[in-house]
Amino acid sequence: MAFPMKDVRLPETIPDLLLQKHADYLVSYESNKDDYINCMTEHLRMSGIYWGLTALDLMGQLDRSNKETILDFVKKCQHDCGGISPSICHDPHMLSTLSAIQILCIYDAIDVIDVEKVVIYIKERQLPDGSFTGDIWGEVDARFTFCAIASLSLLSRLDEINIDKAVEFIKSCMNFDGGFGSKPSSESHAGLIYCCLGTLSIVGHLHLVDADKLGWWLCERQLPSGGLNGRPEKLPDVCYSWWVLSSLTILGRFHWIDKNQLVTYILACQDTETGGFSDRPGDMADPFHTLFGLTAISMLGCDKSLKEINPTYCMPEYVIERLGLKPDRLDRL
């Protein structure tokens, strides 16, 4: 018996790309500091700032951000241990540490934090098997390896950790289907695939990947609606437009999906009244999906007014070029 594929129905009318509404939405989102949603997402504040700033920068509207206030916030979130927390009075974590470094690189203001302390904090997170914990409490996840590698790369300090052991850990997360999970024997997932490929891209070990097998798994994430899901039998979600598309780009298999269908799905997820993107048509918009909708549109090249996005770091390409970084891509090797 065949089971129907999980998918969504697109609206009959697909709007054009509403860049000005998206910029206005992001600026107003941060200004509403006392509303319920803003208060309940305090634990995501640093990442939220990174999402919003990157999106504004891609749209050429970074000047609408409050630079001095943001830099002061980042500075106040660094702890004596060197790690950076998602908000003031929260515990430091690898995820928010990377977001903070990305913010500072966009502003070209890395001297706001104590870089030496950050490097020490990251070094202390690496375990003997090469993996990294997210914080002092010991959770291990391939995402944290990417955070460590990307952070140190952006700081030009990759030589501070054991790269070979980190690569061994990433390799141990590879599955029979060519994908990667969060740790050895974990299910393949598009978000984790991006993290593992990003790590290998930065340190120059993409040769360890079976590009055709993994590329096939990734292109199978596209559903009839045009949207992409993160793993089999799940609904499409705008954020996977980034995780899947960036991974395919790193692999040199960008052309293996239907570009026009994906664009249609992403545009259908815009909120035409408030601005912003949601995970699926008709859902509530948020900064997370707004960034990844815009980064996918940038990578697809269907709106030349958007700046180019780097598929490895998820940062504007001009920032990565300014830092002199050249992550590997299989189509360039």
Side-chain angles (χ1 to χ4, degrees):
M1 177 180 178
F3 292 92
M5 183 180 295
K6 291 185 177 180
D7 202 357
V8 298
R9 186 185 300 275
L10 298 184
E12 293 184 5
T13 303
I14 306 298
D16 294 330
L17 183 59
L18 308 171
L19 288 181
Q20 192 55 51
K21 282 200 172 186
H22 300 324
D24 293 344
Y25 163 76
L26 291 168
V27 172
S28 65
Y29 188 92
E30 186 55 28
S31 65
N32 298 326
K33 296 185 181 297
D34 294 325
D35 70 13
Y36 176 78
I37 294 177
N38 195 287
C39 293
M40 292 302 293
T41 57
E42 186 178 69
H43 63 293
L44 297 172
R45 186 72 69 242
M46 192 68 72
S47 292
I49 294 172
Y50 154 70
W51 300 330
L53 281 186
T54 304
L56 286 173
D57 198 1
L58 288 178
M59 292 185 285
Q61 301 202 38
L62 183 62
D63 59 345
R64 295 183 66 183
S65 65
N66 193 329
K67 179 178 178 179
E68 296 307 316
T69 298
I70 291 172
L71 293 182
D72 182 62
F73 173 78
V74 173
K75 184 178 180 67
K76 288 178 178 177
C77 286
Q78 185 172 28
H79 292 242
D80 289 340
C81 66
I84 301 172
S85 57
S87 193
I88 298 169
C89 296
H90 286 237
D91 291 339
H93 197 281
M94 292 288 282
L95 293 170
S96 46
T97 296
L98 173 58
S99 292
I101 292 170
Q102 290 171 310
I103 292 165
L104 298 180
C105 286
I106 288 173
Y107 280 136
D108 196 13
I110 203 67
D111 57 344
V112 164
I113 55 173
D114 187 325
V115 172
E116 294 303 320
K117 284 188 175 182
V118 172
V119 172
I120 291 171
Y121 176 78
I122 295 173
K123 287 175 64 175
E124 290 177 345
R125 304 278 72 74
Q126 189 169 30
L127 299 178
D129 68 352
S131 64
F132 285 81
T133 63
D135 53 23
I136 62 172
W137 307 112
E139 180 188 5
V140 171
D141 191 303
R143 291 177 302 159
F144 310 147
T145 299
F146 174 74
C147 288
I149 297 293
S151 294
L152 293 176
S153 173
L154 292 169
L155 297 174
S156 299
R157 299 294 291 274
L158 268 176
D159 58 339
E160 299 282 351
I161 58 170
N162 190 325
I163 295 295
D164 291 340
K165 294 297 290 185
V167 170
E168 283 183 25
F169 172 72
I170 292 297
K171 188 176 179 181
S172 73
C173 296
M174 188 186 300
N175 292 319
F176 71 94
D177 54 16
F180 294 84
S182 60
K183 54 182 67 71
S185 301
S186 294
E187 178 186 10
S188 294
H189 185 281
L192 275 303
I193 288 170
Y194 163 80
C195 291
C196 292
L197 280 182
T199 299
L200 298 177
S201 168
I202 292 170
V203 301
H205 281 72
L206 286 176
H207 61 277
L208 297 174
V209 177
D210 186 330
D212 284 342
K213 182 185 287 186
L214 178 51
W216 181 253
W217 189 93
L218 288 165
C219 76
E220 283 195 318
R221 304 279 60 76
Q222 189 162 34
L223 300 171
S225 65
L228 299 162
N229 61 21
R231 51 199 170 107
E233 297 304 312
K234 295 296 183 180
L235 290 172
D237 186 321
V238 155
C239 70
Y240 294 113
S241 303
W242 167 256
W243 309 121
V244 173
L245 200 59
S246 60
S247 297
L248 286 170
T249 301
I250 292 171
L251 292 172
R253 306 301 191 270
F254 176 86
H255 57 289
W256 282 16
I257 63 166
D258 189 314
K259 168 184 171 179
N260 293 329
Q261 279 193 310
L262 179 56
V263 170
T264 297
Y265 177 82
I266 296 170
L267 293 178
C269 294
Q270 298 176 102
D271 189 314
T272 57
E273 295 182 6
T274 66
F277 289 77
S278 58
D279 56 351
R280 287 177 278 277
D283 288 353
M284 182 177 291
D286 60 74
F288 175 82
H289 290 94
T290 299
L291 170 63
F292 294 124
L294 290 170
T295 54
I297 292 290
S298 169
M299 192 167 295
L300 289 162
C302 51
D303 192 298
K304 300 303 180 183
S305 64
L306 286 174
K307 294 179 183 178
E308 184 180 355
I309 189 74
N310 183 277
T312 297
Y313 293 93
C314 195
M315 296 172 65
E317 185 64 49
Y318 82 90
V319 176
I320 302 307
E321 291 177 354
R322 186 184 70 214
L323 294 171
L325 301 174
K326 296 181 180 180
D328 283 348
R329 281 169 49 178
L330 287 182
D331 58 351
R332 295 176 180 173
L333 295 179

